[in-house]
Each structure stands twice: as structure tokens, then as C-alpha cells.
């Protein structure tokens, strides 16, 4: 188990390194001179430009710039935002919880809808409930987030006036208001995942329900609810767990657009603003942080998969 | 009488029309005795077992009578049948490799029956489960109880299934080819264990098999099934001494372990030619007719299962067959 874990970590480090080279390299291909942007009004003064370049080490060879950046990055220092003059790490840590709250809520919504719907759909296969669940899943998967978001804002904010159409209140400040500002974006984000989870749960349940051990469970005299909810579901969830973790990662990515629609100051907004303003340190930091989150999630997915699958746990 | 079946019939609704998998089947088993059900693949042995358990799939329709200790089961509602399953009647399946749930330990799976039917707490049920695993001779039962099915051998898994089936001391145990998937040595051990447990608990056993050697060693009575119907029913000793139905004679001729009997009879039926009939379109009259060397014009009518000596019945117009063979 420990050996496996170390081996897994050994795979992660090179992955992140290659990624960092790519991010750094791509950055150099982006058009425009950051020094010009930073100089603002004084962009005509060559002395100011030279000073800025020296300060940011833009006058050094690329490999040196890269090594310098990596050396600081491994210590959690991603430099300063060129635009707002704040440490990138601080910006990330400020914005991440917002997106994380959104993602967790979206994921919970997806779980609460997707898994029971998948189970019911499998048990009532080819009946009206199954058709309805499949139809809704298709709807959830294929509906563009921006459209669903706008429709929800129109209905719940404009028409009914129940929920604020935009903005964000931190959970620590006012939990109720915080939920009110995030429930719609969370639903928009979660709806697609709910559909994916529903479909996978349904397929896995159909597989599990046709297994011999389900017949054994019935032969014991167990109630059908126990047969389905314990014996079949426990096995069906094994593949769904991995899928769920990967979907959670995709959810963080999906948050970028949703945060724009609902003007939520999260991770997504941070990176969009940074890209438009050529705020390279922020772009680099955010992309690296995202990569780190994805890598961590895939590690968690593997650990969870082992935890729920006795076959692997004892091997 | 623990189990008494009269005129059992099971019909499946299929895409290609109704399929009668079991037809007019009657037999009974007393406490502490073993009835073997034998026949080729597809003759309806497992369907019969599932019918008794009340575990037929939704596309099956059941008719006839199944009495367990005098109580009619076929008219029970599903919940009442369920309450008896695992407690009064239990089943061991053919596939030990897949019949246990891979996500639970062996001990948990045995304990679950006790928690359900005997209302034992988690701890007490697990302790009893360990004792039961020990009883079915699983070495180091306390450790094995905490292991998952994939960590156990096929023989051990079947022992776990037996422990699970016998946990609540059922009156009836149905063992559907319990050893087919196992090595020969393990087969013998498992069957000996079943015999021993039967003697100890007085459970009635329905032993489904297609191995006549197993029948000779472990059964008190035998029902030979052919294409969903009983061809012959007899005490095991009588069946081997005096097989009456041409199909049984053929089966015995094909079985290497059985010797004796007039040589002429055996040579005529040393192997059964032809194939099992399609149950969607069964032959008119006697279902064995297309393969029967003795068939005649009267065989286009269904022969009834009739006694030719006490406790020994055969469904053949030629009965008693020995007179035909002597002629
Ligand atoms: N769910 C079902 N739907 C339709 N037909 C079925 C179904 N289950 C079984 N049958 C049919 O019923 C017949 C008897 O099957 P059964 O499983 O009882 O055979 P068996 O005697 O147990 O054979 P084996 O020795 O191979 O286990 C077969 O023709 C089979 O195709
Ligand atoms: S009834 Fe006729 S066909 Fe059937 S077994 Fe007897 S002799 Fe053969
Ligand atoms: Mg069978």
C-alpha cells in the first residue's frame, strides 16, 4: 500500500514538471510585450521599460526565467500579480474556496439526484419512470450551462424574485445568503454531472442486478429493498466512485463559465481576468494550481476505488 | 412430509411464445432424506428449484401445488414466501465462484441471515457465523470470516454457501448441482459434509445433479426428469436395480459407474442418440419418443406416470419394460 502510494507520487512529480514547462512555454508564444502593458502611460520611455524588464527578469534567458519561477513555485510562491500587485498565492487562496463551495454543492446536488435516479431507473427498467429518468439525464447532459443559467435567473430571480441573480456572500459571513447566492449556479453546474452519474449508476446497477449474488441475497429472504440497496448498489458504486471523482475535477473546470454567468468572484473569474489582462504570473499560478488539484483528485479517485473494492484492498 | 409437490408446472413467457419448462411434476421428500433430481441440461431442474424457493423470474407463471410442512406455498403472497426463505427453506447454488457477494466478507454474509431471521445483533450474529464456518470445516474460521470471497477457494466458498443455507436450520435444503464446479476430491468432501449435516439436523434435501454416481452414493429417492416432465421416480436402490423408463436405461448405460443388469438391455441403450426436444415446440405425446428405440403408434399420446411396484413409477406405455426386453 505504501509502496503503491510512493510509486503513484513518483508519477505525479514528472507530470507536474512537464506541465509547468508547457505552461511557461506557451506563455512566451502569447502576443504582446508584458512590459509594455505594465508600463501603462510611460510605455514610451525606454528606461522605464528596461527597468520593468530587469525587475521581472524578462531580460534574462528563458531557461533561467523558468528555473527561477519553478524554484519559487515549489515553495508556494507564484510571484506577484502584475495588475493588482498582490501575491498570486494569496489571490488563489482567496478565490479557491468560493469555487470549491460551488463545486461541492454542485456535486452534492448531482449525487443526490443522479444516484437514486440511476438505481430507480435500473430497478424499473423499461417502465415509464425509466424513460422519464433517461430523458431528464439527456436533458441535463446536453443543456448548455449558460442557457440553463439564464433560464433559471429569469425564472427564480426576475419572475419570482426568490433568489439573487448574481453576486456572492461567503459561507462564513452569512450561511443562508451564501446558499441563496450559490444554489442556482450549483444546480446549473451539477445538472450535467447528475445526468452522467445517473446513466452510469443505471448501467452498473443493471449489471449488478443480474449477478448470481443477487439471487443468493433473495434466497436468504432479504427484502427487495435490501437486495437492491445493499447487495447490488455496493457493487455498482465501485466504478461510479472513480467516475464521480473525475467528474468533480471537470466540475471545477465548468465553474469558469458558470461563475461568469452569475458574476461570482471565484477561480474562474480570476483566470478569465488574468488572461484578458496578460497578468502572466496569475495565469501561470492558476493553471498550476488547477493541475495540482486534478492530480490530487485522480489520486483520491484511486484511493477511493481501492477503499470500496475489497479485491484491490487486500491485493 | 417436508416437501410435497403436486402437478407443478412452470411456463415462461418468451419472445418466441410460451415455454413450458416444467410440466406436471410431482414428488415429495421426508425429513432427513435426500431426493435426487437428475436429467440432462435444460430439462428443468433449476427451474423446479427456483419454483420451490419462490424465486422464479417475473416472466414465469407457476401452477400446481407446493406444500412445505403441509402449508401451501404457491398461493402465499410474496412477502410471506420471503419470510420463509433462508429460514424454513434454503438453497445452495451451482456457482460458488459468483454466488457470494464480492463486496462483503464471508462472515458478514453468513451473519446477515441470522440477523434477519433470528434477530441477532451484529456481534452475536458474527460470532455465530464464525461457529457455523467452523462447523462446515473451514480451517481457521475466525480469520476466514473476515476475508472476502475472492480470497477463498471454490470449495471454501461453497462451504460458506452451505453455512449460510443451514444457519437457521431450515426444514428443506435445495442443493442445485452444488459440486459441479469443483474438483473431484472437493466434490466428495462437500457431499459428505451435506450428508453429515442432514443427519444432524434432520433437514430434507433436494439434490439436483446430472451425475448418477452422486445419486447412487447420496440419494434415498430419485426423480428422473426429461424435457420438463418426470420420466421415472423410484427409491435410488430400485432405480439402479430395475430402471424402467427407456430414458433412465439409456442414462444408466451411459454412466460408467453402473454395472450389472441384463447385458442385452444395456447394449441396446448404451448411449442415447438424438437431442433434447425444443421446449417451445415439444413433441406430441411422449416427449422421449423421437429418441426412443421402443416407440410405437401409442406413444403419440402422453403416457401417465404409473406405479409398477411400490414407490416406483414410470411414464412409459411399455412398462414394465423388462417383459418387453425379455420378449
Ligand atoms: N428466465 C427464463 N426465461 C425463459 N426460459 C427459461 C428461463 N429460465 C430457464 N428457461 C428455460 O427452461 C428450461 C429449463 O432450464 P433449467 O435451468 O431448469 O435447466 P437445468 O435442468 O437446470 O439445466 P442445467 O443442468 O444446465 O442446469 C430451459 O429450456 C431454459 O431455456
Ligand atoms: S412411451 Fe413410447 S416413446 Fe415414450 S418412452 Fe415409452 S416407449 Fe418410448
Ligand atoms: Mg441448472
Amino acid at each position: 500500500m505504501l509502496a503503491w502510494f510512493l510509486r503513484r507520487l513518483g508519477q505525479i512529480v514528472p507530470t507536474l514538471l512537464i506541465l509547468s514547462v508547457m505552461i511557461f512555454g506557451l506563455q512566451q508564444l502569447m502576443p504582446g510585450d508584458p512590459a509594455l502593458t505594465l508600463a501603462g502611460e510611460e510605455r514610451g520611455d525606454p528606461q522605464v521599460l528596461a527597468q520593468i524588464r530587469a525587475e521581472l527578469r524578462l531580460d534574462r534567458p528563458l531557461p533561467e526565467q523558468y528555473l527561477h519561477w519553478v524554484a519559487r513555485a515549489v515553495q508556494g510562491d507564484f510571484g506577484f500579480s502584475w495588475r493588482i500587485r498582490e501575491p498570486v498565492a494569496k489571490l488563489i487562496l482567496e478565490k479557491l474556496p468560493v469555487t470549491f463551495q460551488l463545486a461541492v454543492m454542485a456535486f452534492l446536488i448531482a449525487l443526490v439526484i443522479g444516484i437514486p435516479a440511476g438505481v430507480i431507473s435500473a430497478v424499473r427498467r423499461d417502465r415509464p419512470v425509466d424513460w422519464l429518468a433517461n430523458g431528464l439525464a439527456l436533458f441535463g447532459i446536453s443543456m448548455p450551462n449558460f442557457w440553463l443559467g439564464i433560464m433559471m435567473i429569469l425564472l427564480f430571480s426576475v419572475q419570482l424574485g426568490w433568489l439573487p441573480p448574481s453576486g456572492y456572500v461567503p459561507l462564513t459571513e452569512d450561511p443562508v445568503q451564501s446558499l441563496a447566492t450559490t444554489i442556482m449556479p450549483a444546480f446549473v453546474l451539477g445538472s450535467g454531472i447528475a445526468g452522467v452519474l445517473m446513466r452510469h449508476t443505471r448501467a452498473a446497477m443493471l449489471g449488478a442486478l443480474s449477478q448470481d449474488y443477487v439471487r443468493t441475497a433473495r434466497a436468504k429472504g432479504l427484502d427487495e429493498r435490501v437486495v437492491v440497496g445493499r447487495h447490488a448498489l455496493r457493487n455498482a458504486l465501485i466504478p461510479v466512485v472513480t467516475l464521480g471523482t473525475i467528474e468533480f475535477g471537470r466540475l471545477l473546470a465548468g465553474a469558469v463559465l458558470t461563475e461568469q454567468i452569475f458574476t461570482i468572484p471565484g477561480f474562474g473569474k480570476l483566470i478569465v481576468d488574468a488572461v484578458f489582462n496578460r497578468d502572466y504570473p496569475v495565469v501561470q499560478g492558476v493553471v498550476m494550481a488547477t493541475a495540482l488539484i486534478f492530480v490530487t483528485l485522480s489520486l483520491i479517485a484511486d484511493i477511493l476505488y481501492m477503499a470500496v473494492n475489497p479485491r484491490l484492498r487486500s491485493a | 412430509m417436508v416437501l410435497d409437490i403436486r402437478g407443478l408446472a412452470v411456463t415462461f413467457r418468451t419472445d418466441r411464445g410460451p415455454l413450458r419448462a416444467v410440466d406436471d411434476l410431482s414428488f415429495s421428500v421426508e425429513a432427513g432424506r435426500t431426493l435426487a433430481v437428475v436429467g440432462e441440461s435444460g430439462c428443468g431442474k433449476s427451474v423446479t428449484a427456483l419454483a420451490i424457493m419462490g424465486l422464479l423470474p417475473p416472466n414465469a407463471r407457476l401452477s400446481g401445488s407446493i406444500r412445505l410442512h403441509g402449508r401451501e406455498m404457491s398461493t402465499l403472497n410474496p412477502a410471506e414466501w420471503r419470510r420463509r426463505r433462508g429460514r424454513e427453506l434454503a438453497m445452495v447454488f451451482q456457482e460458488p465462484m459468483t454466488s457470494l457477494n464480492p463486496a462483503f466478507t464471508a462472515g458478514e454474509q453468513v451473519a446477515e441471515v441470522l440477523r434477519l431471521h433470528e434477530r441477532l445483533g451484529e456481534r452475536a450474529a458474527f460470532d455465530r457465523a464464525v461457529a457455523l464456518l467452523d462447523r462446515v470445516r473451514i480451517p481457521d474460521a475466525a480469520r476466514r470470516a473476515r476475508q472476502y470471497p475472492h480470497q477463498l477457494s471454490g470449495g471454501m466458498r461453497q462451504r460458506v454457501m452451505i453455512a449460510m443455507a443451514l444457519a437457521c436450520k431450515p426444514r428443506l435444503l435445495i442443493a442445485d448441482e452444488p459440486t459441479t464446479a469443483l474438483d473431484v476430491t472437493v466434490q466428495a468432501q462437500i457431499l459428505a459434509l451435506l450428508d453429515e449435516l442432514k443427519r444432524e439436523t434432520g433437514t430434507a434435501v433436494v439434490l439436483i445433479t446430472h451425475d448418477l454416481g452422486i445419486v447412487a452414493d447420496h440419494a434415498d429417492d430419485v426423480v428422473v426428469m426429461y424435457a420438463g416432465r418426470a420420466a421415472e421416480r423410484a427409491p435410488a436402490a430400485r432405480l439402479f436395480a430395475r430402471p424402467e423408463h427407456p430414458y433412465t436405461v439409456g442414462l444408466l448405460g451411459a454412466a460408467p459407474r453402473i454395472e450389472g443388469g441384463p447385458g442385452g438391455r444395456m447394449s441396446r441403450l448404451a448411449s442415447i442418440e438424438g437431442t433434447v426436444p425444443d421446449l417451445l415446440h415439444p413433441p406430441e405425446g411422449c416427449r422421449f419418443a423421437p429418441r426412443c428405440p421402443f416407440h410405437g403408434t401409442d406413444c403419440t399420446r402422453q403416457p401417465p406416470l404409473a406405479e409398477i411396484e411400490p414407490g416406483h413409477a414410470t411414464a412409459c406405455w411399455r412398462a414394465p419394460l423388462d417383459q418387453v426386453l425379455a420378449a
Side-chain angles (χ1 to χ4, degrees), chain A residues 211-213 215-216 218-224 226 230-232 234-235 238 308 310-314, chain B residues 50 53 55 82 85-86 93 95 98-104 109 112-113 116-117 148 150-151 161 164:
Chain A
Q211 298 294 314
D212 288 340
Y213 59 76
R215 191 184 54 191
T216 306
R218 293 199 177 110
K220 285 175 166 180
L222 291 169
D223 191 286
E224 195 59 22
V226 181
R230 219 158 98 85
H231 285 265
R234 171 90 74 110
N235 287 283
I238 291 173
V308 292
R311 249 178 261 252
L312 298 177
R313 208 183 311 149
S314 53
Chain B
L50 293 175
M53 290 295 289
L55 288 176
R82 193 186 69 230
R85 268 205 293 278
F93 296 95
E95 307 84 3
T98 52
S99 290
L100 289 171
N101 193 323
F104 294 91
Q109 299 191 52
E112 190 177 31
V113 198
L116 176 70
H117 293 298
Y148 289 89
H150 73 273
Q151 295 167 290
M161 285 297 292
M164 195 190 293

Side-chain angles (χ1 to χ4, degrees), chain B residues 23 226-232 244-248 275-279 281-305 314-319:
Chain B
D23 193 20
Y226 186 79
R229 294 181 65 98
E232 185 165 4
E244 269 299 332
H245 196 279
Y247 177 59
T248 316
T275 50
V276 191
D278 176 6
L279 290 177
H281 312 284
E284 289 251 335
C286 179
R287 291 185 175 188
F288 189 56
R291 299 167 80 182
C292 180
F294 303 103
H295 77 266
T297 48
D298 48 347
C299 302
T300 49
R301 285 180 303 123
Q302 180 70 59
L305 189 68
T314 176
C316 174
W317 295 120
R318 297 290 168 272

Side-chain angles (χ1 to χ4, degrees), chain A residues 139 146-166 180 183-184 187-188 261-262:
Chain A
F139 182 83
F146 70 86
W147 187 85
L148 190 60
I150 291 165
M151 287 301 133
M152 287 188 80
I153 291 172
L154 282 180
L155 179 63
F156 292 104
S157 307
V158 179
Q159 283 287 320
L160 300 169
W162 290 352
L163 293 166
S166 65
I183 189 79
M184 277 200 293
F187 185 85
V188 167
I261 304 166
F262 291 89

Side-chain angles (χ1 to χ4, degrees), chain A residues 97-113:
Chain A
V98 180
T99 302
F100 201 69
Q101 180 191 342
L102 201 59
V104 167
M105 283 175 62
F107 196 60
L108 286 179
I109 290 172
L111 282 181
V112 166
I113 298 174

Side-chain angles (χ1 to χ4, degrees), chain B residues 166-190:
Chain B
L166 294 179
C168 301
K169 300 195 170 57
R171 290 165 162 178
L172 175 70
L173 174 71
I174 302 172
D176 188 357
E177 310 205 25
T179 60
T180 307
L182 303 173
D183 297 343
V184 184
T185 44
V186 182
Q187 271 190 23
Q189 291 165 7
I190 296 280

